[in-house]
């Protein structure tokens, strides 16, 4: 089997800086034809020269060979190759039409009826939905665990446990998980580890290097970066790609060439965008933490965030998404704050160039490790606007909150 991207992927040197690596990644001459960004190759049918040629191209091993549109074209191969090259030690990457589709394929590639999954309590809500509905229907059970469990996860492992799913930091509440400790326990028990790495991306948390087996991105967020494409990816450590690829082929998964092209375009600026998201989000998080209307800021780079020490030890940076807890007030006072904002849109998703604010209600979904908060929670995506303008907007919002709370 030659279906191993490690042997032929673009050699982006791991010693180069992030901005250089995202510019270089995936741009093989045979795929670009000399055009700077790999062009869009759209296809369903691929034509063969003869029956012998058609037969020679058939089979499972169609890696980087035109075979049929569902197996991709150089446009998708280039993006997949680029994402692989950003994860030192990775074998290969498969692309999906959304982040949620990527999570489903990764889970189905490792779990079988009778298996148990350990799923972090702070996982993205649709991931919980897959566990409780899709996986349950196929005889796979799920146990939720505290995101701060660390090596203590060993106590939850039973004879049926097959895999551990992590998301760090967690959705809405941003607890940072001790991924190396959990990976060490998983290895000792022969379990597969999966990580939703959407917040950090491989630039701030090189997941395969840290020991994770399957690392997942909602590429919809920072890779695309412009809020106009749905896309997902799973990058596998050596030995884990063949099963992932086979399951994804069976599921009929394919990311569109046009969407992959837009993602590959977005990727070129991901390092500079992330650097700016990081700077602006930290400025705003620090400003918020000094405000009397704010009880706590849940940003992994601030000591007030659960798991901050682990973040400081393991991560190379922080991105633009975080939450804050209001000091008292109710749902209506929180709505007064968010409705007052002019520069922050109200909408799901994140990772684009524009700022967003949504109400966050973790208590509605958490089961294993519910936490008490002093008031309602707001999640912010800090975009690429001038932070001073965003601060002025939040200042007006907090005043509206204080009026509504009184
Ligand atoms: C948005 C998101 C996803 C899902 O990605 P889609 O592309 O929207 O399907 C998965 N995980 C996290 C942490 C997310 O924020």
């Amino acid at each position: 089997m030659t279906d191993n991207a490690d042997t032929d992927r673009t050699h982006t040197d791991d010693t180069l800086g992030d901005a250089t690596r995202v510019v270089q990644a995936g741009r093989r001459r045979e795929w670009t034809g000399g055009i700077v960004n790999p062009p869009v190759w759209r296809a369903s049918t691929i034509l063969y020269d003869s029956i012998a040629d058609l037969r020679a191209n058939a089979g499972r091993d169609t890696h980087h060979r035109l075979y049929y549109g569902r197996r991709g074209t150089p446009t998708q191969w280039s993006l997949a190759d680029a994402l692989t090259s950003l994860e030192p030690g990775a074998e290969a990457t498969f692309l999906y039409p959304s982040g949620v589709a990527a999570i489903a394929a990764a889970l189905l590639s490792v779990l079988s009826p009778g298996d148990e999954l350990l799923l972090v309590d702070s996982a993205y809500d649709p991931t919980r939905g897959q566990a409780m509905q899709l996986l349950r229907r196929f005889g796979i059970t799920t146990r939720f665990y505290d995101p701060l469990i660390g090596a203590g996860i060993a106590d939850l492992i039973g004879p049926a446990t097959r895999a551990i799913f992590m998301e760090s930091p967690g959705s809405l509440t941003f607890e940072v998980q001790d991924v190396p400790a959990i990976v060490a326990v998983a290895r000792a028990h022969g379990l597969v580890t999966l990580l939703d790495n959407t917040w950090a991306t491989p630039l701030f948390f090189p997941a395969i290097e840290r020991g994770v087996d399957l690392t997942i991105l909602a590429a919809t967020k920072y890779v695309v970066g412009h809020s106009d494409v749905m896309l997902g990816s799973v990058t596998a450590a050596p030995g884990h790609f063949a099963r992932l690829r086979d399951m994804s082929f069976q599921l009929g998964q394919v990311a569109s060439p046009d969407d992959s092209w837009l993602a590959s375009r977005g990727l070129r600026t991901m390092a500079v965008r992330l650097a700016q998201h990081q700077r602006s989000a930290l400025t705003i998080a620090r400003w918020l933490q000094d405000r009397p209307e704010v009880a706590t800021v849940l940003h992994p780079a601030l000591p007030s965030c659960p798991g901050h020490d682990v973040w400081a030890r393991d991560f190379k940076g922080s991105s633009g998404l975080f939450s804050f807890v209001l000091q008292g007030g109710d749902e209506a006072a929180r709505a007064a704050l968010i409705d007052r904002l002019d520069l922050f849109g109200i909408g799901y998703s994140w990772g684009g160039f524009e700022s967003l604010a949504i109400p966050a209600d973790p208590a509605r979904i958490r089961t294993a490790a519910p936490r008490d908060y002093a008031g309602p929670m707001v999640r912010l995506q800090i975009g690429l606007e001038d932070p001073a303008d965003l601060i002025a907007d939040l200042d007006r919002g907090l005043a509206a909150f204080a009026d509504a709370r009184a």
Side-chain angles (χ1 to χ4, degrees), residues 275-289:
Q276 187 59 49
H277 286 297
Q278 165 163 253
R279 248 194 315 277
S280 298
L282 268 171
T283 302
I284 291 166
R286 292 199 178 106
W287 178 82
L288 281 168
Q289 96 183 332

Side-chain angles (χ1 to χ4, degrees), residues 59 90 129 210 219 244 265 305-306 351:
R210 301 278 193 272
L244 176 76
R265 204 172 198 268
C305 188

Side-chain angles (χ1 to χ4, degrees), residues 97-101 103 124 126-127 167 169 171 196 198-199 216-221 229-232 321 349-350 379:
S98 72
V100 163
I103 293 166
Y124 183 61
T127 308
E167 183 182 322
S171 276
D196 184 331
T198 302
W199 184 87
I216 301 159
L217 292 180
T220 307
K221 312 290 168 54
V229 174
M230 303 295 303
L231 205 71
L321 191 78
S349 202
W350 49 277
R379 191 190 74 180

